[in-house]
Amino acid sequence: MNVSNQTREWYPFVGPFDPCPPKYVKTYVVPPNQFIPFQPMNLPQFSLQEALRRGTLWPALYSPYDSKCGKEGT
Amino acid sequence: MWIYDKKLQYPVRVSKCDPQMAKYLTEQYGGADGELAAALRYLNQRYTIPDKVIGLLTDIGTEEFAHLEMIATMIYKLTKDATPDQLKAAGLGAHFAAHDSALFYNNASGVPWTAAYIQAKGDPLADLYEDIAAEEKARATYQWLIDMTDDVDLQDSLKYLREREIVHSLRFKEAVEIIKADRETKKVY
């Protein structure tokens, strides 16, 4: 279990007669909320400006996501 | 009662003319796991949930309306100056025929919103697990929406909304823990 890396990979079956160019690796996100049953008290906080920009006060809950628009694969 | 702040929860800037993106964003406006469904689901379930977690449903349900307003702003900006031809090209011809450029509560495929999307079982665990699932589905929808636009300003607002789904999901999970622990705490005098 890798808590710091929020992306998981898996390798789907690729058939010999698939009509489209295959994707060899598929990915999905496992955000940090999946590893916190109940948030402990007194966790570190972002500055208020930073918290507004990121959408959370808590670095432990922050989940970055990059757009795949225009990117090859996955 | 509510107090209205005449501003958005987070700034919405749209820098690319892309009416088709408005069509896709509608999924989060009037879709099954959109912000309207979320707000109405939580604000209705809260009447029959154990009182320790009523406040959580009120707070999150209220925030969902703030998110609804952000999505509405995005859709409005993307469509307000579009010509009928542009809307037709964006797949919004049928929408224009019925609504002009007005916003309407339907999903990205044009299916109108229905209360059948949401549930209130009166069982706290059943309701809270539905809420957790709804947050994760909304998170996934935001990911696919972020993947569909190269407008970094629009992406920025969508990333904010996606992070809020993650925080809400955790808060509902905590509510489950509170519900589970209720009996034990009552034994302590």
Side-chain angles (χ1 to χ4, degrees):
Chain A
M1 187 176 76
N2 189 342
V3 176
S4 58
N5 176 13
Q6 299 186 10
T7 306
R8 301 289 182 274
E9 293 183 345
W10 63 288
Y11 308 95
F13 172 76
V14 175
F17 307 114
D18 292 345
C20 301
K23 287 178 181 170
Y24 294 103
V25 184
K26 298 217 176 192
T27 61
Y28 56 96
V29 176
V30 181
N33 61 7
Q34 297 303 310
F35 303 98
I36 307 171
F38 207 106
Q39 184 175 329
M41 297 286 278
N42 304 315
L43 285 184
Q45 299 180 358
F46 287 123
S47 71
L48 292 185
Q49 282 294 321
E50 192 73 1
L52 175 65
R53 201 178 70 75
R54 292 176 188 259
T56 178
L57 185 58
W58 313 101
L61 292 189
Y62 178 60
S63 170
Y65 187 80
D66 285 325
S67 176
K68 289 175 187 158
C69 188
K71 286 180 190 161
E72 290 288 313
T74 52
Chain B
M1 195 182 105
W2 275 268
I3 293 171
Y4 185 76
D5 233 340
K6 198 175 168 164
K7 57 189 173 192
L8 294 177
Q9 188 188 9
Y10 185 85
V12 168
R13 182 164 293 174
V14 182
S15 44
K16 184 187 171 191
C17 177
D18 184 4
Q20 190 156 41
M21 195 60 202
K23 180 178 163 74
Y24 301 143
L25 285 166
T26 312
E27 188 64 30
Q28 277 304 92
Y29 193 62
D33 302 299
E35 303 292 354
L36 179 74
L40 296 181
R41 181 188 291 116
Y42 308 150
L43 293 176
N44 179 61
Q45 285 177 354
R46 69 190 166 133
Y47 291 96
T48 46
I49 206 98
D51 46 11
K52 278 184 178 173
V53 298
I54 290 175
L56 179 73
L57 286 175
T58 307
D59 287 354
I60 296 182
T62 302
E63 187 180 338
E64 303 296 358
F65 276 128
H67 296 173
L68 186 71
E69 215 178 23
M70 287 177 63
I71 297 290
T73 305
M74 294 173 193
I75 296 171
Y76 171 71
K77 287 190 177 201
L78 286 165
T79 52
K80 74 186 176 79
D81 298 316
T83 63
D85 275 343
Q86 282 175 313
L87 290 173
K88 270 198 263 181
L92 286 168
H95 181 95
F96 183 78
H99 308 290
D100 192 291
S101 297
L103 278 71
F104 193 67
Y105 293 117
N106 49 31
N107 72 8
S109 316
V111 179
W113 190 87
T114 164
Y117 287 155
I118 63 175
Q119 188 51 278
K121 277 290 161 190
D123 177 86
L125 287 176
D127 284 352
L128 286 170
Y129 278 117
E130 176 188 337
D131 302 346
I132 293 166
E135 295 290 340
E136 297 299 341
K137 285 188 278 181
R139 170 186 59 81
T141 307
Y142 278 123
Q143 289 173 190
W144 317 150
L145 287 170
I146 292 165
D147 288 345
M148 274 194 292
T149 179
D150 58 359
D151 178 346
V152 289
D153 288 320
L154 189 59
Q155 282 177 9
D156 185 59
S157 303
L158 292 172
K159 284 175 185 178
Y160 173 88
L161 291 169
R162 174 182 172 273
E163 177 65 37
R164 297 309 301 154
E165 307 294 341
I166 293 167
V167 175
H168 290 172
S169 174
L170 176 59
R171 298 296 171 244
F172 284 132
K173 282 175 64 188
E174 289 169 347
V176 168
E177 295 304 314
I178 291 170
I179 297 283
K180 278 154 64 176
D182 202 29
R183 259 186 86 215
E184 280 169 46
T185 52
K186 273 184 186 163
K187 282 182 196 162
V188 181
Y189 292 103

